Amino acid sequence: MSTDADTYASDLLALDQQVCFALAVAARNVIGLYRPLLQPMGLTHPQYLVMLALWEKSPSSLTELAGRLSLEPATLSPLVKRLEAVGYVTRARDAKDERALAVTLTEEGAALRAYAPAVPAGIVARLGMPLTELEELRDRLHVVIEATRRAHANGG
């Protein structure tokens, strides 16, 4: 005999069965935890991601940054402009390729990195989950990201 629980568990259209719903809610909630940690640095979460990429490699072209961040250049450009307005980066035409826009950390932007290690530590503390579980989750999400890239490349 089938129960309501069996019907629910087998309902492929149940909200809680949707990968997209779980990812969307988790992303929104986790990003919300970043806000108070980034506020003292004067950064939004998207700006923080740009700064992370630039702390790894500066200067970077706008196109290169967009690729690393999985953003369209048109989406990234306003973020970079706001970071330039607060003095964390500069934008200039690349001397090697006049068509490319180079984004470079300023001294102030580079110095901001000294405050950044508190952010991941703060997230781990706020989530209250073992670091190993968070690392496993991150690694599984990278698998999902690669799968979606392959699906898009194959016309999916």
Side-chain angles (χ1 to χ4, degrees), residues 50-101:
V50 173
M51 294 300 289
L52 287 171
L54 288 169
W55 288 328
E56 288 180 13
K57 183 177 183 277
S58 173
S60 289
S61 73
L62 190 67
T63 303
E64 181 182 7
L65 274 175
R68 293 199 59 223
L69 295 166
S70 296
L71 294 173
E72 292 296 321
T75 302
L76 179 59
S77 189
L79 292 171
V80 171
K81 284 180 183 178
R82 285 192 292 277
L83 289 169
E84 184 178 41
V86 295
Y88 292 157
V89 304
T90 59
R91 295 175 306 135
R93 291 286 162 203
D94 190 324
K96 297 175 188 170
D97 181 358
E98 283 293 318
R99 297 169 296 166
L101 189 63

Side-chain angles (χ1 to χ4, degrees), residues 19-62:
V19 172
C20 61
F21 176 69
L23 286 170
V25 172
R28 189 171 49 247
N29 291 347
V30 170
I31 289 169
L33 294 176
Y34 275 83
R35 280 188 199 102
L37 298 170
L38 296 175
Q39 190 175 22
M41 297 168 63
L43 296 173
T44 64
H45 185 262
Q47 291 169 339
Y48 172 66
L49 298 178
V50 173
M51 294 300 289
L52 287 171
L54 288 169
W55 288 328
E56 288 180 13
K57 183 177 183 277
S58 173
S60 289
S61 73
L62 190 67

Side-chain angles (χ1 to χ4, degrees), residues 17 78 99 133 146:
Q17 297 294 323
R99 297 169 296 166
E133 282 185 29
E146 285 307 312

